[in-house]
Amino acid sequence: MNIKNYVRLELQSKPENVSFARSCVGAFASQLDCTLEDIEEIKLVVSEAVSNAIIHGYGNDTQQKIEILVTITDHQTLEIIVKDYGKGIEDLQQALEPAYSSEPQRMGLGFTFMKSFMDEMDVSTRPGEGTSVRLKRSYISKNKQAFA
């Protein structure tokens, strides 16, 4: 697969940048053959990934950076990578469990939402070095599938 288009964002780890990130990625993804519901799902997973980086990766330290890389391939596949350089995840298997959160007042459904709305989700993490979440989803139109 060849990259058809891409965008790279670097954001300061401030809560007010969550809505900016979700809007940017949603607008970029709108060039795909997808529905408004699909765009809302994309915006939701970006919100969850960026919020996780701010809250869990950096402990709400607003002076850090979050990188987002979004690519669209010539096969109508969207890939979103959200990366932080924070504390990383000590126990990834536990963090991926539905309703688990390192902060008791949180619902712990971020990874669950990301997994349910995307075709693929991969999480790479190293304690003390950060976390990278890769989300992938294909958007082949129903008309194109009928003729394939």
Side-chain angles (χ1 to χ4, degrees):
M1 285 188 273
N2 294 320
I3 292 176
K4 184 176 173 183
N5 201 358
Y6 77 94
V7 65
R8 181 184 304 269
L9 301 169
E10 183 177 303
L11 310 168
Q12 199 169 357
S13 58
K14 293 184 174 195
E16 54 264 40
N17 285 337
V18 173
S19 61
F20 177 74
R22 66 180 269 132
S23 295
C24 287
V25 175
F28 184 77
S30 69
Q31 64 192 285
L32 289 162
D33 189 13
C34 58
T35 66
L36 289 175
E37 184 179 330
D38 292 330
I39 297 294
E40 288 305 313
E41 291 172 356
I42 291 165
K43 289 163 69 173
L44 174 70
V45 300
V46 169
S47 293
E48 294 295 336
V50 173
S51 293
N52 277 355
I54 293 168
I55 295 164
H56 302 290
Y58 293 126
N60 291 308
D61 178 352
T62 61
Q63 300 303 307
Q64 304 302 317
K65 75 175 177 178
I66 297 168
E67 295 176 353
I68 303 170
L69 175 63
V70 189
T71 58
I72 294 174
T73 70
D74 55 359
H75 295 293
Q76 295 294 298
T77 298
L78 177 73
E79 182 178 80
I80 304 164
I81 299 171
V82 177
K83 182 175 179 138
D84 70 64
Y85 298 90
K87 46 185 153 176
I89 302 171
E90 290 291 331
D91 186 341
L92 181 57
Q93 293 302 69
Q94 184 180 38
L96 293 172
E97 302 249 337
Y100 172 79
S101 179
S102 60
E103 295 191 13
Q105 69 274 22
R106 303 226 169 253
M107 292 176 59
L109 296 174
F111 284 134
T112 302
F113 287 145
M114 288 182 243
K115 234 189 267 187
S116 68
F117 289 125
M118 302 303 279
D119 295 335
E120 295 176 32
M121 180 186 84
D122 297 309
V123 181
S124 301
T125 188
R126 296 191 111 194
E129 295 181 25
T131 300
S132 178
V133 178
R134 186 180 69 83
L135 305 158
K136 200 170 182 181
R137 186 165 170 186
S138 184
Y139 293 93
I140 299 173
S141 77
K142 291 174 179 78
N143 292 335
K144 290 179 188 171
Q145 286 178 334
F147 296 107

